[in-house]
Amino acid sequence: MDVIFKLLRKTLYGISVVAMIVMLAIIFGQVITRYLFGFSLEWTEELARFLFVWVVFLGSALIMGEDGHLAVELLPRLLKGSKPGFLLNLFINACGYVFILLLIIQGWKMTQTMTFQTSPGLGISMSYVYIIMPISGILMLMYHVKDTISIFRLLAKGRTDPRVGDNQPIISTD
């Protein structure tokens, strides 16, 4: 299972880096043609914007896999190792599922809605731009399920925090 997630991470990272390089090259080329030759191609700004959207959504899935999203951790830290802390962790996890499922469902609806609209510069279906929302949601869901499994494995071992040693109780009695 870890091999799949390592491969997924490398793939997401590679796609994000290539998309970012292409985006920067397109913008650089647009600036050069505008200032040196007095014109710019109409599709360059649009393609750069679409690539940026893809990089953001793929990057957010990648960051989720590394548990790197910003979070307010005051309350979870205060309650760490206690029963209320464990319940809070489960609640936060459930809220993550709600957000991810909304992203997948609404992203798919948006993709279907935009099938008939074409972008003015590139002339492609806008569904190619919006399809990244459900794709990113599915990737996030995979990572979130992995995190949920980790939580319940810790619970089975009698722990609630991966940073606590194996012989620490699930709930402190203090």
Side-chain angles (χ1 to χ4, degrees), residues 63-98:
I63 293 295
M64 186 163 192
E66 296 177 356
D67 200 24
H69 281 289
L70 292 175
V72 178
E73 297 220 0
L74 176 66
L75 194 56
R77 283 186 186 178
L78 288 174
L79 298 175
K80 182 173 73 173
S82 66
K83 187 173 184 175
F86 179 71
L87 294 175
L88 178 63
N89 197 11
L90 287 178
F91 176 73
I92 291 168
N93 195 279
C95 289
Y97 278 109
V98 170

Side-chain angles (χ1 to χ4, degrees), residues 28-49:
F28 181 74
Q30 183 184 30
V31 169
I32 295 298
T33 58
R34 183 182 308 136
Y35 287 110
L36 291 182
F37 305 115
F39 78 95
S40 64
L41 301 169
E42 67 270 358
W43 58 268
T44 56
E45 183 269 332
E46 191 171 78
L47 180 59
R49 187 172 356 114

Side-chain angles (χ1 to χ4, degrees), residues 54-126:
W54 271 67
V55 166
V56 166
F57 275 96
L58 288 177
S60 60
L62 183 63
I63 293 295
M64 186 163 192
E66 296 177 356
D67 200 24
H69 281 289
L70 292 175
V72 178
E73 297 220 0
L74 176 66
L75 194 56
R77 283 186 186 178
L78 288 174
L79 298 175
K80 182 173 73 173
S82 66
K83 187 173 184 175
F86 179 71
L87 294 175
L88 178 63
N89 197 11
L90 287 178
F91 176 73
I92 291 168
N93 195 279
C95 289
Y97 278 109
V98 170
F99 170 76
I100 291 168
L101 290 175
L102 280 172
L103 180 64
I104 293 170
I105 293 166
Q106 296 302 321
W108 182 251
K109 286 180 183 179
M110 188 73 119
T111 302
Q112 289 178 321
T113 302
M114 293 297 171
T115 301
F116 302 107
Q117 183 178 357
T118 58
S119 66
L122 292 169
I124 62 170
S125 173
M126 290 299 290

Side-chain angles (χ1 to χ4, degrees), residues 153-154 157-159 161-170:
R153 281 186 181 157
L154 289 172
K157 289 182 178 180
R159 296 187 293 153
D161 190 347
R163 295 167 288 208
V164 178
D166 280 331
N167 42 356
Q168 294 293 324
I170 186 169

